[in-house]
């Protein structure tokens, strides 16, 4: 007895789905690699004299995930830092740094380091 047409259609769809998943896995495994690329940038400033807050957006434009990302802001003789638990490849997170002076005037932002999970 010949299998019904619907059975053949479902079998074909299952095969296409399986091949598609394998293709995506191979593409990810063989695709471009490389380290995380961490780019901090000042997004907003709020507060009052003596109590300024700088919101810093941290982007990872690299192809690998970064963990325990240390961000440092230097404003004259003031230094503030924060640690982000996790920034995925292509992702972004926001941290807030506190200063006594207005950070719009010469804030330098640096990614001091990270680990690979």
């Amino acid at each position: 007895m010949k299998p019904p047409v619907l059975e053949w259609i479902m079998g074909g769809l299952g095969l296409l789905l399986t091949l598609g998943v394998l293709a995506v896995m191979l593409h990810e495994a063989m695709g471009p690699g490389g380290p995380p690329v961490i780019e901090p940038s000042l997004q907003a400033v709020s507060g009052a004299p003596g109590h300024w807050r700088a919101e810093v957006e941290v982007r990872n434009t690299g192809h690998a995930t970064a963990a325990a990302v240390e961000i440092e802001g230097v404003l004259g003789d003031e230094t503030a830092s924060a640690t982000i638990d996790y920034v995925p490849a292509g992702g972004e997170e926001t941290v807030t740094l506190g200063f006594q002076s207005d950070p719009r005037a010469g804030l330098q932002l640096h990614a001091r380091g990270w680990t690979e999970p």
Side-chain angles (χ1 to χ4, degrees), residues 64-88:
T65 298
V69 180
E70 296 178 28
I71 301 298
E72 181 181 76
V74 178
L75 182 62
D77 60 349
E78 291 182 76
T79 301
S81 63
T83 302
I84 303 171
D85 292 332
Y86 174 80
V87 183

Side-chain angles (χ1 to χ4, degrees), residues 51-54 73 78-81 96-101 103:
H51 303 284
W52 293 94
R53 292 181 303 274
E78 291 182 76
T79 301
S81 63
T96 301
L97 303 177
F99 296 96
Q100 292 180 355
S101 304

